[in-house]
Amino acid sequence: MHTTTHTLIIGGGFAGATVAQTLEKSNIATTLIDRKDYFEVTMATLRNVADFEKVQNSPRIHYSDFLTGAFIQGNVSELTETTAVLENGDTVSFEQAIIATGSSYPSFSVAKSNQAFSLEARNEEIKTASQALAKATSVLVIGAGAVGVELAGDIAYSHPNIKVTLADAAETILASYSAKTQRKATEQLKALGVNIETNRLYQEQDGVYVDKNTGDQLNVDMTYVAIGVKANSDFMKPKLNDALTERGFIKVDDHFQVQGTTSLWAIGDVADLKDLKLAATAIPQGNELAANLIAKQQGKKTKAHKPMAEMGLIPIGQKNGVAQIPLFGTVTWKRLIDFKNKDLLIGYVFKGLGIK
Ligand SMILES: Cc1cc2nc3c(=O)[nH]c(=O)nc-3n(C[C@H](O)[C@H](O)[C@H](O)COP(=O)(O)OP(=O)(O)OC[C@H]3O[C@@H](n4cnc5c(N)ncnc54)[C@H](O)[C@@H]3O)c2cc1C
């Protein structure tokens, strides 16, 4: 089947859904393609697994229940400057396309699913993962970035009977954060009983985890590998490979325009921007790009993107957490931490997308 659209948006995560909804408000006709049929608030998935009853299926909603523009479920396998080809052979031609295909964890489907492309399948995947966790007595979380730290804290809070080990190859947890953030997070994790092991390179050998540095062994019921984030950009390789960095991120200028093209833009995790790879940066990027495309259509001036200041707000269990914010540095303000812990920002994100 062949479809045509004015503006094609590939990927309906935070960046893609935001730009789609904003353009539609200005009467720019959009078609959003995603390989799954639902939008998911990623920051709620970890607690969804650690405490299913608390979160249930609230982070997810069908695109068809809120998108104002057209939606196609499909996996883009090849892109040119005028046409997207889907895995099933269908094609979509466009005047302009926005690439917002984000990133994935190849071995950590709980965080962002690599196989559950229907809402029902994803609800089931999370529930099954939650039930499996409830049966465990020991868990290893590999990777002590923000995601690994949050997961370890959430499991320890909701399952005090599970022995949680958080391991990282670096000398410290949260290596890209300030020393104070690392210290506060360490204190809070330890208070929940999390065993932190740094300078560890655990690798699986016949069902046991062996530290490559020392040969020490760890036997656990379950392991979560929260490392190895990959850009979702394979569809660029056949015709637009020059626009990719070595690690597969899409090269863009300060207006998000894809290098060497006139009809393509890229935002969010998949774009090679200086901003941290966060929903908190993907959403403003979506708004900025929409404003520029609207301004361009109206013959008005467009604005260059300036990288956003570094930030982070990491829940540690359901009552605590640590934030690193511009001007104030590391803080543990209760109201700020509670704002996130209340519903993992589901209400905030949904409101921004016009979801009631
Ligand atoms: C567990 C976890 C917790 C997090 N917590 C926070 C947090 O608290 N705060 C924060 O700001 N950030 C957080 N992040 C980071 C945040 O989720 C990402 O930065 C954000 O998802 C990026 O948004 P995006 O729109 O660029 O891409 P994504 O959210 O990755 O969305 C990309 C979309 O593209 C689709 N897609 C991919 N390839 C194709 C294709 N070939 N064809 C069609 N569709 C495709 C995918 O199905 C997906 O829907 C967290 C991430 C994880 C994993």
Side-chain angles (χ1 to χ4, degrees):
M1 198 169 79
H2 179 74
T3 318
T4 56
T5 184
H6 180 272
T7 301
L8 178 68
I9 295 146
I10 309 171
F14 298 95
T18 299
V19 79
Q21 292 293 75
T22 314
L23 288 178
E24 282 285 338
K25 268 195 222 149
S26 288
N27 297 321
I28 295 185
T30 63
T31 299
L32 188 147
I33 299 185
D34 201 291
R35 58 188 175 196
K36 50 188 180 54
D37 68 2
Y38 60 93
F39 174 84
E40 178 174 65
V41 179
T42 317
M43 41 269 210
T45 58
L46 304 177
R47 185 154 309 159
N48 213 178
V49 171
D51 186 352
F52 183 80
E53 284 312 313
K54 178 127 198 169
V55 183
Q56 306 212 3
N57 297 325
S58 62
R60 291 169 286 282
I61 179 168
H62 279 124
Y63 289 116
S64 56
D65 284 340
F66 75 95
L67 276 183
T68 318
F71 173 70
I72 297 172
Q73 185 178 5
N75 192 15
V76 174
S77 55
E78 192 176 310
L79 186 68
T80 69
E81 278 210 61
T82 56
T83 310
V85 183
L86 310 194
E87 213 170 47
N88 66 2
D90 288 355
T91 49
V92 185
S93 322
F94 51 82
E95 299 289 317
Q96 56 185 8
I98 297 160
I99 306 163
T101 43
S103 62
S104 43
Y105 285 89
S107 47
F108 189 30
S109 212
V110 158
K112 282 186 187 175
S113 190
N114 295 313
Q115 69 256 333
F117 297 143
S118 75
L119 180 72
E120 294 70 27
R122 179 59 168 162
N123 289 343
E124 201 50 43
E125 182 181 43
I126 292 280
K127 194 168 187 182
T128 306
S130 171
Q131 288 164 343
L133 172 65
K135 288 189 196 132
T137 57
S138 56
V139 158
L140 169 63
V141 178
I142 296 179
V147 170
V149 164
E150 184 173 339
L151 180 63
D154 253 314
I155 296 175
Y157 179 91
S158 300
H159 300 275
N161 55 318
I162 298 180
K163 185 171 189 302
V164 182
T165 300
L166 174 65
D168 200 289
E171 276 177 13
T172 163
I173 66 164
L174 296 173
S176 58
Y177 289 77
S178 73
K180 188 171 175 193
T181 302
Q182 294 163 0
R183 200 175 63 245
K184 290 274 172 205
T186 301
E187 284 165 16
Q188 293 184 19
L189 286 166
K190 285 192 170 162
L192 287 171
V194 174
N195 167 41
I196 299 172
E197 297 189 6
T198 50
N199 292 312
R200 287 291 203 194
L201 257 180
Y202 277 119
Q203 288 185 342
E204 208 232 289
Q205 276 175 28
D206 304 323
V208 176
Y209 279 83
V210 181
D211 174 23
K212 271 190 79 180
N213 293 332
T214 59
D216 291 351
Q217 294 192 355
L218 190 67
N219 210 338
V220 286
D221 296 337
M222 288 189 74
T223 304
Y224 298 93
V225 183
I227 51 171
V229 179
K230 180 185 165 293
N232 296 327
S233 61
D234 285 355
F235 56 88
M236 298 282 287
K237 288 180 183 162
K239 300 278 162 63
L240 294 160
N241 198 41
D242 284 354
L244 295 181
T245 66
E246 249 174 48
R247 293 186 56 216
F249 293 95
I250 301 175
K251 297 176 199 166
V252 289
D253 67 14
D254 62 3
H255 281 69
F256 307 111
Q257 188 145 17
V258 176
Q259 183 180 294
T261 72
T262 55
S263 59
L264 302 178
W265 284 263
I267 49 174
D269 277 11
V270 78
D272 185 35
L273 289 159
K274 288 205 174 81
D275 307 64
L276 290 180
K277 307 260 176 240
L278 289 172
T281 55
I283 293 171
Q285 286 170 22
N287 282 320
E288 276 179 52
L289 176 57
N292 274 352
L293 294 177
I294 293 162
K296 200 169 155 239
Q297 181 145 311
Q298 296 170 344
K300 293 185 184 156
K301 264 188 144 178
T302 57
K303 281 193 191 141
H305 172 68
K306 290 201 185 80
M308 290 176 67
E310 300 209 344
M311 68 192 113
L313 203 176
I314 309 164
I316 298 178
Q318 293 186 19
K319 296 273 183 266
N320 287 308
V322 57
Q324 197 173 303
I325 50 177
L327 301 178
F328 294 95
T330 303
V331 296
T332 52
W333 298 332
K334 193 165 162 33
R335 280 180 75 172
L336 181 65
I337 305 297
D338 285 353
F339 173 65
K340 183 152 184 191
N341 266 328
K342 181 173 52 110
D343 72 342
L344 283 318
L345 306 181
I346 297 169
Y348 174 80
V349 171
F350 277 13
K351 193 171 171 208
L353 293 173
I355 300 167
K356 294 203 173 70

